[in-house]
Amino acid sequence: MPNKIVFLLFLIIATTTIGCSVYKFTDASVDPRFKSIKIGYIDNRAPYVNPQLSPNLTERVRQKIQNQTRLSLTNSDNAHLDVTGYVSDYSVSTTGISDKQEVTNRLTVAVHIVVNNKLDNKTEEFDVSRNFEFQATLSLQQAENRLLDEMVRNLTDDIFNRMFSNW
């Protein structure tokens, strides 16, 4: 009888702890053949240019790839992956009206990314786009100051996920 109790306790502990792992999404799915990546400056080609967006976005993409993949960042033209891109849209529209007055505005930001896979001689292009709502009582510059970190963080995540996770 004591052996059955010990066995049952062991079985209960084993089955409850097997599914209790901590999942960590810090390493993306990267082909093991790829060792290096070059991230070019993400230009701002939108009709309206936020001067802080391109340098912040470029740096955040570099940091995320360096921190969450095993790829080495390089400036060499011999990198296995060569990433370039540009901000293609940065525009404001009214999204909410109350009593014939604007209540909320929407800032739309789109980025076009080109990934040149030099090992397979293939190129992949994709666009990511995000909308950011802000109160119409704010000027565009005030909204940009408040939204910059969120814009950069969300766009970086979208770019990273499209490049490595295929989400």
Side-chain angles (χ1 to χ4, degrees):
M1 187 73 147
N3 288 342
K4 286 184 179 181
I5 293 173
V6 170
F7 177 74
L8 282 173
L9 286 173
F10 173 76
L11 189 61
I12 290 170
I13 292 170
T15 56
T16 57
T17 58
I18 288 173
C20 295
S21 338
V22 175
Y23 293 98
K24 191 173 179 186
F25 294 106
T26 57
D27 194 18
S29 175
V30 180
D31 187 324
R33 298 177 304 139
F34 299 127
K35 306 290 184 215
S36 59
I37 188 167
K38 179 180 179 182
I39 310 288
Y41 184 76
I42 299 172
D43 291 323
N44 196 331
R45 298 184 191 167
Y48 177 85
V49 174
N50 175 338
Q52 297 177 8
L53 181 61
S54 287
N56 285 311
L57 183 59
T58 302
E59 185 56 31
R60 187 79 62 96
V61 168
R62 287 178 179 154
Q63 287 174 357
K64 187 165 183 88
I65 289 172
Q66 187 170 24
N67 293 338
Q68 296 192 11
T69 72
R70 56 174 173 62
L71 295 170
S72 298
L73 282 177
T74 182
N75 289 324
S76 169
D77 291 334
N78 295 327
H80 294 155
L81 295 171
D82 186 3
V83 180
T84 58
Y86 58 90
V87 177
S88 57
D89 185 27
Y90 194 92
S91 57
V92 177
S93 59
T94 300
T95 58
I97 298 176
S98 176
D99 292 330
K100 299 180 184 178
Q101 289 188 340
E102 298 176 13
V103 176
T104 57
N105 287 333
R106 173 177 293 152
L107 174 60
T108 300
V109 184
V111 181
H112 182 78
I113 298 292
V114 178
V115 181
N116 186 0
N117 171 344
K118 292 189 177 181
L119 293 182
D120 298 328
N121 200 24
K122 291 182 181 178
T123 300
E124 177 190 1
E125 296 187 43
F126 59 88
D127 294 295
V128 296
S129 179
R130 282 284 182 132
N131 296 316
F132 304 92
E133 306 288 331
F134 65 95
Q135 293 297 318
T137 56
L138 297 175
S139 70
L140 178 57
Q141 290 74 26
Q142 289 171 323
E144 288 174 320
N145 288 335
R146 291 183 183 183
L147 293 171
L148 182 65
D149 189 55
E150 180 184 355
M151 287 188 293
V152 170
R153 186 177 58 251
N154 289 342
L155 291 165
T156 297
D157 288 345
D158 290 350
I159 291 167
F160 184 87
N161 290 337
R162 283 290 301 269
M163 285 177 58
F164 298 111
S165 302
N166 293 322
W167 285 6

